[in-house]
Amino acid sequence: EVQLLESGGGLVQPGGSLRLSCAASGFTFSSCAMTWVRQAPGKGLEWVSTISDSGGSTYYADSVKGRFTISRDNSKNTLYLQMNSLRAEDTAEYYCAKTVVVGACYFDRWGQGTLVSVSS
Amino acid sequence: EIVLTQSPATLSLSPGERATLSCRASQSVSNYLAWYQQKPGQAPRLLIYDASYRATGIPARFSGSGSGTDFTLTISSLEPEDFAVYYCQQHSNWPLTFGGGTKVDIK
């Protein structure tokens, strides 16, 4: 069974940093692209970033480019999102998603999310 | 950036009724469109990919159609567990984008 378990969320001040993790199991992690998607409270879904299976290719939404860095450790079956220079508008539930590359890509399994709150 | 517009914003129906949800793209996405279901407090779940292919374990009452810029998600006969928010997502171009969602609630 595919399992994705996010961690690392919490309350952080504007301008601060946070690193999210997503521990994966139940599939061959090193063969799958992975993605972070976020959802602000009461709002819709927003794609944040995608990384290829090898980690050699990364993609970012303009809203986070230059502030967030996606990475992965295939030896640990873990996906990361380093978030710097956090803003109030980054407050959201952050989901990691197993990603299928067709065209660009879509998401066939999702974790339960970790909440990031940016506030002073 | 491809903008996806979902309509209606809210659909009020009774169990057993047919639900028809629309997703329109600002430019062609070919057949690269996915649909997700999200229930309160839960993560989204993939229903449909490539416009018309049901994901693993998705009941046959869910079907997707369309290509280019106009897409439809149909639920043939609503079950109590189908009342939720539905999102479309284009997987044709970067950046990936989602529609604003359609809430299907109980009439």
Side-chain angles (χ1 to χ4, degrees):
Chain A
E1 180 191 1
V2 171
Q3 291 197 341
L4 299 168
L5 185 61
E6 301 94 337
S7 61
L11 177 63
V12 61
Q13 292 187 338
S17 297
L18 215 52
R19 188 176 85 155
L20 306 183
S21 300
C22 172
S25 61
F27 65 102
T28 306
F29 181 76
S30 59
S31 296
C32 292
M34 295 293 295
T35 295
W36 290 98
V37 176
R38 69 185 180 184
Q39 186 171 36
K43 302 297 184 182
L45 301 170
E46 181 187 13
W47 169 73
V48 173
S49 182
T50 296
I51 188 167
S52 63
D53 53 0
S54 66
S57 296
T58 57
Y59 306 83
Y60 296 94
D62 285 347
S63 58
V64 306
K65 200 173 296 182
R67 299 187 299 122
F68 290 10
T69 302
I70 192 171
S71 62
R72 63 191 298 159
D73 186 335
N74 286 346
S75 69
K76 295 183 178 179
N77 288 354
T78 302
L79 173 72
Y80 302 102
L81 185 68
Q82 177 67 44
M83 303 186 297
N84 299 331
S85 303
L86 282 161
R87 306 166 179 168
E89 55 264 35
D90 296 318
T91 294
E93 191 83 22
Y94 283 75
Y95 297 100
C96 70
K98 179 175 169 288
T99 299
V100 178
V101 179
V102 173
C105 54
Y106 62 89
F107 320 116
D108 66 344
R109 292 291 189 274
W110 298 62
Q112 283 306 301
T114 187
L115 182 62
V116 172
S117 296
V118 184
S119 175
S120 55
Chain B
E1 171 177 318
I2 296 175
V3 176
L4 299 179
T5 302
Q6 291 188 241
S7 62
T10 304
L11 196 53
S12 296
L13 295 169
S14 301
E17 289 193 295
R18 182 184 189 90
T20 303
L21 287 66
S22 173
C23 178
R24 177 164 290 178
S26 59
Q27 64 189 75
S28 177
V29 297
S30 185
N31 65 328
Y32 294 130
L33 193 97
W35 290 93
Y36 302 87
Q37 176 194 66
Q38 187 178 32
K39 298 178 182 179
Q42 296 187 19
R45 175 176 71 146
L46 177 67
L47 299 175
I48 301 286
Y49 63 93
D50 288 357
S52 61
Y53 292 86
R54 273 190 305 276
T56 303
I58 301 305
R61 64 181 181 272
F62 291 91
S63 63
S65 64
S67 67
T69 61
D70 290 298
F71 300 87
T72 301
L73 174 69
T74 301
I75 310 170
S76 59
S77 178
L78 282 163
E79 298 288 339
E81 61 268 27
D82 299 337
F83 292 93
V85 179
Y86 293 83
Y87 294 96
C88 57
Q89 176 239 329
Q90 61 85 13
H91 56 102
S92 174
N93 289 48
W94 302 96
L96 306 176
T97 50
F98 290 90
T102 290
K103 182 178 182 180
V104 179
D105 66 13
I106 300 176
K107 187 174 183 180

